[in-house]
Amino acid sequence: MASRLLFLARHGEQDAAEQEGDTGLSARGRRQATLLGQRLRGARLDAVHHGPLARAAETAALVGAELPGVPVGVDDRAGDHMPHDTDPAGLPERYAAFLTQFSERDRRDGPCVTAEAVARFATAPASGDVRELVVTHNFLVAWLVRHALEAPERRWIGLNHANCALTVIRYSSAGPPTVVALNDAAHLPPELRATGLPDDYRF
């Protein structure tokens, strides 16, 4: 039986002083990434993939430093992009307003890249047991969870993931995908667990 155990992590906390543009991690984000790497030491990963933006690349590098011998590489399919051109009609006002931030290009190109990411990562391999980590962004993690559960396409909105929390999905030739873990932040101390979430989601 062939299977892929796909570990997904949102990048570490971005530098609060430089929220605009392609910026790296805050001190807390670097600590989150290191702790994520330590959590994964026993996971027997075959590879770590990351999106091209600095915050994902820096997170992956720090994770990789804790995983000797595991290759780390960039993959544009793991980037930060709008996963679906969702029609705002009928959505709650807050969700509809959220969709207005995306440009026509975002709505055109993002779903194409997302489809490529699904084809690459969200399938069982031809043979063997594959274990990979993808360090990416909230939207792609949300889309892959939605995809695994066969939920309505608009449900990628409202799935929020903390910085460096783990989501794990198993893809097997024997049956449908299984969500093994969702937003697991047990490797982070309380003061590092809720970054990346809206303030009113924190507890």
Side-chain angles (χ1 to χ4, degrees):
M1 179 178 64
S3 69
R4 182 189 310 279
L5 201 59
L6 184 65
F7 294 79
L8 297 163
R10 185 181 181 184
H11 58 80
E13 182 186 60
Q14 192 174 0
D15 189 343
E18 302 180 28
Q19 286 290 327
E20 297 298 324
D22 186 10
T23 60
L25 303 180
S26 67
R28 290 200 304 181
R30 291 189 291 274
R31 181 63 180 149
Q32 289 168 334
T34 296
L35 290 170
L36 175 59
Q38 292 172 4
R39 167 79 181 273
L40 291 170
R41 282 177 180 167
R44 296 183 287 115
L45 292 175
D46 298 302
V48 175
H49 310 280
H50 63 84
L53 294 182
R55 54 192 181 273
E58 187 176 357
T59 301
L62 289 166
V63 168
E66 301 296 325
L67 304 171
V70 178
V72 177
V74 64
D75 191 315
D76 288 345
R77 293 168 291 193
D80 191 15
H81 44 265
M82 184 184 193
H84 181 260
D85 185 9
T86 305
D87 185 350
L91 291 178
E93 183 178 343
R94 180 176 177 180
Y95 287 2
F98 163 75
L99 290 170
T100 64
Q101 70 180 292
F102 297 101
S103 68
E104 182 178 346
R105 181 176 179 179
D106 293 333
R107 297 193 302 272
R108 181 188 69 240
D109 295 347
C112 294
V113 180
T114 301
E116 293 174 2
V118 169
R120 167 59 182 85
F121 298 114
T123 60
S127 62
D129 176 21
V130 176
R131 293 168 172 246
E132 297 175 302
L133 168 67
V134 177
V135 178
T136 183
H137 302 266
N138 187 57
F139 295 166
L140 184 58
V141 180
W143 183 262
L144 291 172
V145 171
R146 181 223 65 81
H147 177 268
L149 297 175
E150 298 182 0
E153 292 171 326
R154 66 180 185 173
R155 289 303 291 127
W156 70 274
I157 307 172
L159 286 171
N160 293 277
H161 297 85
N163 296 121
C164 285
L166 269 178
T167 291
V168 184
I169 305 174
R170 183 175 184 267
Y171 301 92
S172 169
S173 58
T178 301
V179 177
V180 178
L182 180 67
N183 222 9
D184 180 354
H187 50 286
L188 302 177
E191 65 272 16
L192 297 182
R193 284 181 192 166
T195 68
L197 297 178
D199 289 341
D200 59 344
Y201 287 20
R202 299 181 185 181
F203 55 89

